[in-house]
Amino acid sequence: MYRLLLTLVFVAFIACSTEPKPINYGTDICDHCGMNIMDHPYGTELVTDKGKVYKFDSTECMLSYMETNENRNYAHILTATMDQPGTLQNALTSSFLVSENLPSPMGANITAYTTKELAQEAQNEFKGEVYDFEEIKKHQSGNSSQHH
């Protein structure tokens, strides 16, 4: 009986893990728009405080999903970046360049970078505006009806 109880506790602990899951590019489907997640610099992921993982093909899909699911609490808000494509990192500390000269998968032209300095370097080449996470949420909230 003790062994069964221990096994159940272990399974419950594993099932409630809030660890991020890698994006399987070309296989995973965006939880917002339903398209395949293809582009390594643009994948994003949300992990709820209960361990549910949501994957997206772009920052704009993740932000739109967050806006329509405001009551969820997230253990992780993650993004891949142009400078580290395919590697998920904390979106809250990333910077985002919005430039028509650097199109993103769903047309909002949002590209994430690991640091503000890298985003500003890209801005010198591609033009556009650099935002932090809270700023890009506000920017996209006002523009979300233009995409998809």
Side-chain angles (χ1 to χ4, degrees):
M1 184 66 172
Y2 177 74
R3 184 176 278 178
L4 175 63
L5 182 60
L6 213 62
T7 302
L8 290 174
V9 168
F10 179 73
V11 168
F13 178 74
I14 297 285
C16 294
S17 170
T18 59
E19 290 303 307
K21 305 250 184 313
I23 294 174
N24 297 307
Y25 290 90
T27 304
D28 285 343
I29 303 295
C30 178
D31 282 303
H32 182 68
C33 73
M35 296 183 72
N36 275 19
I37 304 172
M38 301 298 289
D39 298 319
H40 288 70
Y42 294 100
T44 61
E45 183 172 294
L46 296 171
V47 182
T48 68
D49 59 354
K50 299 198 184 305
K52 176 74 174 144
V53 175
Y54 297 94
K55 299 178 183 184
F56 307 94
D57 62 351
S58 64
T59 299
E60 51 266 38
C61 277
M62 177 180 71
L63 294 175
S64 293
Y65 182 89
M66 290 175 76
E67 191 173 0
T68 58
N69 293 278
E70 293 178 308
N71 296 328
R72 291 215 168 112
N73 295 316
Y74 299 104
H76 299 283
I77 301 173
L78 305 166
T79 186
T81 60
M82 185 60 82
D83 53 289
Q84 292 186 10
T87 302
L88 292 172
Q89 52 201 352
N90 188 348
L92 302 178
T93 59
S94 298
S95 289
F96 301 85
L97 175 63
V98 177
S99 171
E100 291 181 5
N101 300 314
L102 195 57
S104 59
M106 296 311 296
N109 304 319
I110 302 171
T111 303
Y113 290 87
T114 307
T115 66
K116 184 176 185 177
E117 293 75 24
L118 289 170
Q120 289 171 330
E121 285 178 27
Q123 181 185 33
N124 290 336
E125 181 178 348
F126 297 105
K127 307 297 179 236
E129 297 294 324
V130 174
Y131 301 90
D132 66 21
F133 186 75
E134 288 304 316
E135 292 167 337
I136 198 66
K137 277 176 51 178
K138 289 177 192 158
H139 170 81
Q140 186 59 19
S141 179
N143 293 318
S144 62
S145 63
Q146 297 174 11
H147 309 289
H148 289 281

